[in-house]
């Protein structure tokens, strides 16, 4: 593994790291940023196991290099830049306690058709923009065996570094695609045999337990669980496309849950049983 010590932060070999704090610029460049040891280790593992990614380079502090030396050896062709942790903020514009970043080429996005065809359980997100919520939803999707996530225009980028980190790298393993035109494309999901269930506190709606019982008794085997952004929730146009409305019962003093939390609760009732 080529380990290159950086003594000058203007070194052109690390020029691309000066823009990692700007998510739009990183996305335009055709890359994503893997941040933190766990995330970078999982990127490397999937690169080695299934050639899922092309890693351009890794930037480490001395402590991270020591901790990750065996992992880095698995990708000997990837340049590894090393600089003091105290200089990460100046170089990358980020305060990183773990001293670990990687620049990775964004993989080609699969078509919606390729995701929908073999799937049985989908999540469909409308205007969920917060990266922590995106990450939390992907983490729950991975935990409960969701086949893919479809996003409306206005949703956050699942490959934004904060979303990847919050998802514990699940955003790198759960496939996703962009569902357009929105919300008309939901009609095609129904034509493909999916029951579209909108998670909403708005009446009239079934409780989550009632709906789970109905699904256990039969009906369409394919499920598309529709979730909206916090605050406004699902738009009336999206709700109009749903086959059923489902709510999580709560005490009267609380009117809603964080969307990532609500997603996890719903999937624990509706998703396929995890394989132990």
């Amino acid at each position: 593994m080529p380990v290159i010590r950086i003594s000058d932060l203007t070194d052109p070999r690390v020029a691309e790291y000066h823009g990692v704090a700007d998510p739009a610029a990183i996305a335009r460049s055709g890359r994503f940023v893997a941040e933190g040891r766990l995330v970078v280790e999982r990127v490397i593992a999937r690169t080695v196991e299934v050639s899922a990614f092309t890693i351009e380079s890794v930037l480490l502090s001395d402590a991270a290099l020591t901790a990750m030396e065996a992992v880095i050896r698995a990708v000997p062709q990837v340049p590894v830049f090393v600089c003091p942790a105290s200089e990460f903020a100046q170089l990358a514009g980020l305060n990183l306690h773990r001293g670990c970043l990687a620049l990775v080429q964004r993989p080609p996005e699969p078509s919606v058709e390729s995701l929908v065809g073999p799937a049985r359980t989908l999540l469909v997100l409308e205007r969920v923009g917060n990266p922590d919520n995106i990450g939390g939803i992907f983490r729950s999707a991975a935990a409960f065996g969701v086949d893919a996530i479809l996003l409306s225009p206005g949703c956050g980028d699942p490959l934004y570094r904060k979303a990847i980190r919050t998802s514990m790298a699940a955003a790198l393993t759960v496939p996703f695609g962009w569902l357009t035109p929105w919300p008309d494309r939901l009609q095609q999901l129904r034509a493909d045999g999916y029951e579209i269930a909108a998670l909403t506190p708005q009446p009239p709606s079934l409780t989550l337990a009632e709906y789970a019982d109905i699904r256990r008794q039969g009906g369409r085997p394919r499920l598309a669980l529709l979730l909206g952004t916090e605050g406004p929730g699902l738009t009336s146009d999206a709700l109009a496309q749903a086959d059923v409305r489902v709510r999580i019962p709560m005490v009267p003093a609380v009117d809603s849950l964080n969307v990532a939390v609500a997603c996890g609760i719903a999937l624990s009732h509706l998703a396929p049983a995890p394989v132990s």
Side-chain angles (χ1 to χ4, degrees), residues 26 48 59 90 93 144 153 157 161-162 167 190 232 246 265 272:
I26 287 294
V48 172
L59 178 66
Q90 186 178 348
F144 291 106
D157 180 9
R161 60 181 177 81
K162 288 182 69 176
S167 78
R190 185 179 297 106
V246 183
I265 293 171

Side-chain angles (χ1 to χ4, degrees), residues 9-265:
L9 299 185
T10 64
D11 189 321
R13 293 174 294 182
V14 291
E16 299 295 345
Y17 284 92
H18 289 290
V20 298
D22 183 346
I26 287 294
R28 285 194 302 269
S29 74
R31 301 179 177 93
F32 70 87
V33 178
E35 176 188 344
R37 296 179 191 177
L38 181 144
V39 171
V40 172
E41 287 174 1
R42 292 187 176 176
V43 168
I44 291 173
R46 285 186 58 78
T47 299
V48 172
E49 292 166 4
V50 294
S51 301
F53 303 109
T54 299
I55 306 169
E56 294 186 359
S57 64
V58 178
L59 178 66
L60 302 175
S61 66
D62 287 290
L65 176 63
T66 299
M68 299 179 64
E69 189 169 2
V71 176
I72 295 296
R73 281 203 199 98
V75 282
Q77 73 282 8
V78 175
V80 178
F81 300 112
V82 179
C83 75
S86 59
E87 295 181 357
F88 263 67
Q90 186 178 348
L91 175 59
L94 302 169
N95 289 312
L96 299 173
H97 301 296
R98 302 295 300 226
C100 181
L101 288 175
L103 284 178
V104 188
Q105 293 180 15
R106 292 178 74 100
E109 290 183 1
S111 68
V112 169
E113 291 76 13
S114 70
L115 298 177
V116 168
R120 291 179 62 86
T121 305
L122 300 172
L123 290 179
V124 185
L125 309 184
E126 183 183 39
R127 302 185 306 172
V128 178
N130 183 287
D132 291 325
N133 286 335
I134 290 285
I137 288 169
F138 269 79
R139 188 173 181 181
S140 290
F144 291 106
V146 169
D147 296 300
I149 297 178
L150 304 178
L151 305 105
S152 80
C155 281
D157 180 9
L159 295 185
Y160 174 41
R161 60 181 177 81
K162 288 182 69 176
I164 297 172
R165 186 185 67 218
T166 304
S167 78
M168 299 293 285
L172 304 177
T173 59
V174 177
F176 66 88
W178 297 88
L179 198 62
T180 57
W182 181 267
D184 296 345
R185 191 70 181 276
L186 290 170
Q187 297 175 16
Q188 185 60 50
L189 291 183
R190 185 179 297 106
D192 289 333
Y194 286 90
E195 184 167 71
I196 301 174
L199 193 62
T200 175
Q202 297 182 30
S205 57
L206 298 171
T207 68
L208 183 57
E210 289 170 341
Y211 181 55
D213 283 341
I214 291 171
R215 286 195 59 80
R216 280 192 288 269
Q217 294 168 18
R220 275 177 280 185
R222 307 178 99 186
L223 171 67
L225 182 62
L226 181 60
L227 302 106
T229 189
E230 285 191 55
L234 290 164
T235 63
S236 58
D237 288 341
L239 284 169
Q241 300 287 347
D243 297 301
V244 61
R245 296 184 182 188
V246 183
R247 73 180 187 277
I248 299 172
M250 290 174 281
V251 298
V254 178
D255 61 359
S256 65
L257 289 168
N258 169 276
V259 64
V261 172
C263 176
I265 293 171

